[in-house]
Amino acid sequence: MSSIPSNLPLRNDLIGEEPYGAPQLDVPVCLNVNENPYAPDQAVCEAIAKRVLDIAPTLNRYPDREHIELRQAFSDYLERESGVRLDVDELWGANGSNEIMLQLFQAFGGPGRVALGADPTYSMYPEYARDTFTGWQLAHRNADFTLNVDALIEQIKAVKPSMVLLTSPNNPTGTPLPMADIERVLAVCESAEVTGAAEGVHPVVVIDEAYVEFRNPGTPSAVTLIKDHPNLAVSRTMSKAFAFAGARVGYLAASKGIIDCVRIVRMPYHLSAVTQAAALAAFEHTDEQLSRVEHLRQTREATAAWLKTQTYQGKPLAVAQSESNFLLFGGSFDKREAIFDELLKRGVLIRVVGPDGWLRVCMGTDEEMERFRTALTEVLRIVEAE
């Protein structure tokens, strides 16, 4: 229930709304918000502390609002991680990829504009749309959660969106997005019309790669397409694989034209000097920050295999294909809230999200995953018996 007094002039379209967010509960095993469960190494912590100490005497001055040094670090990292060198003016940072997405909606959405996604998808997208008075439409994915490219293309032609938003890997399902699918969508959008825009204006395709470092080795990133597609924007974050969720650093890779559009709507000095210093220190220790990614991939594959051996009401659990650090599982849970509650009683917090009948668990430490398996085995037996 909302605690907002009825005599406050809250926007009419926000009346009855609740703040977004997964439950924040103090439990032994938190597997609900897709964090990297491994803390930064001591060397990384010391590097962050030194960087912050170095800039502390300058905190009476505003930071570099263009964060040039950090944008150069993004460029260096992407060359290493994805094999593509982007210019500084093709990169942009913000307070997590959430702010990147909001800035994209502010720049390309608004009254009379429509953004198009493919459900199931990240549940914040419609909130960005709401907050920027942008219409929100969906094309439905295939039953296995892969992108139905033909259906999406039909929606692009019918809706004439200003933005098409796709996640790779998808959240909440973890489903990979093949490069061939992205290129088909890009090709259509390079000539598609945009409702409420002048002739010759075409949609921006936004690929949300928040979890892309967890993809299978050898899989290319959408950033490799940017030089050939000026209507492509790729959003990334340091929160997940980089073990930097608390620092709030996201970034955007796109053509200079798209970056300049985002710069128009950004708040002045939106990235603090402390945030920039911490991120630069983390990039100095990229190997350490990413050192657990391969182990988390192995944990994902082992957990998926184990889940498929479990049954509910006489049927093996379904597990969605995932190249992320989480798994969507179940498929036939008619009491998923009860399963969630019973796991929580045992100190294990996962997520009720996605289509009915499914639950999502992110990968934790080996000890946390052992507790999850033990608890789930017990809980499924109890809930089935009720």
Side-chain angles (χ1 to χ4, degrees), residues 1-11 15-16:
M1 293 291 291
S2 175
S3 61
I4 297 173
S6 60
N7 63 344
L8 291 178
L10 183 66
R11 271 172 32 193
I15 293 174

Side-chain angles (χ1 to χ4, degrees), residues 8-286:
L8 291 178
L10 183 66
R11 271 172 32 193
N12 289 340
D13 62 309
L14 297 180
I15 293 174
E17 294 284 346
E18 295 288 339
Y20 170 86
Q24 288 188 274
L25 303 173
D26 185 13
V27 297
V29 181
C30 289
L31 304 174
N32 68 326
V33 287
N34 305 336
E35 299 159 323
N36 187 324
Y38 297 103
D41 288 347
Q42 183 61 30
V44 181
C45 297
E46 291 173 0
I48 293 170
K50 183 179 185 306
R51 279 270 188 173
V52 173
L53 181 63
D54 288 345
I55 59 95
T58 71
L59 290 179
N60 60 311
R61 304 294 186 183
Y62 286 112
D64 174 11
R65 64 173 172 250
E66 298 298 324
H67 52 281
I68 298 299
E69 187 178 2
L70 181 55
R71 289 159 78 182
Q72 183 62 57
F74 294 147
S75 178
D76 295 342
Y77 172 69
L78 287 177
E79 182 175 31
R80 166 185 169 159
E81 197 274 338
S82 296
V84 60
R85 167 60 76 174
L86 298 178
D87 299 331
V88 165
D89 58 11
E90 295 173 311
L91 292 155
W92 183 251
N95 288 282
S97 58
N98 296 106
E99 187 178 30
I100 290 291
M101 285 293 173
L102 183 60
Q103 289 175 341
L104 288 167
F105 271 83
Q106 289 173 317
F108 301 114
R113 297 288 181 87
V114 177
L116 177 66
D119 71 326
T121 191
Y122 183 36
S123 56
M124 271 299 295
Y125 294 157
E127 297 205 16
Y128 302 138
R130 178 202 67 193
D131 293 347
T132 57
F133 301 98
T134 306
W136 176 245
Q137 298 287 331
L138 289 165
H140 299 302
R141 289 175 174 268
N142 296 314
D144 63 356
F145 305 128
T146 55
L147 186 66
N148 186 331
V149 182
D150 291 335
L152 181 67
I153 289 172
E154 287 303 309
Q155 280 287 77
I156 291 169
K157 293 176 180 178
V159 171
K160 301 177 182 178
S162 59
M163 287 191 296
V164 178
L165 289 94
L166 302 171
T167 48
S168 177
N170 188 40
N171 181 10
T173 65
T175 315
L177 179 60
M179 292 285 279
D181 290 355
I182 297 174
E183 292 180 287
R184 282 188 65 193
V185 174
L186 283 167
V188 170
C189 286
E190 283 165 359
S191 61
E193 298 178 5
V194 172
T195 296
E199 185 178 352
V201 173
H202 308 299
V204 170
V205 178
V206 180
I207 306 297
D208 186 345
E209 289 192 340
Y211 300 93
V212 74
E213 281 95 347
F214 295 103
R215 69 194 186 278
N216 291 337
T219 304
S221 160
V223 298
T224 60
L225 302 174
I226 287 171
K227 293 291 189 182
D228 296 324
H229 297 279
N231 66 327
L232 171 63
V234 182
S235 173
R236 285 203 170 197
T237 184
M238 296 178 73
S239 294
K240 306 302 181 179
F242 230 88
F244 222 50
R248 310 308 301 128
V249 182
Y251 55 107
L252 178 67
S255 65
K256 182 180 184 299
I258 289 177
I259 299 299
D260 285 344
C261 290
V262 168
R263 289 174 64 239
I264 291 172
V265 301
R266 65 103 169 95
M267 295 295 287
Y269 311 109
H270 69 295
L271 270 181
S272 77
V274 173
T275 298
Q276 293 181 47
L280 288 167
F283 277 126
E284 289 172 354
H285 293 268
T286 294

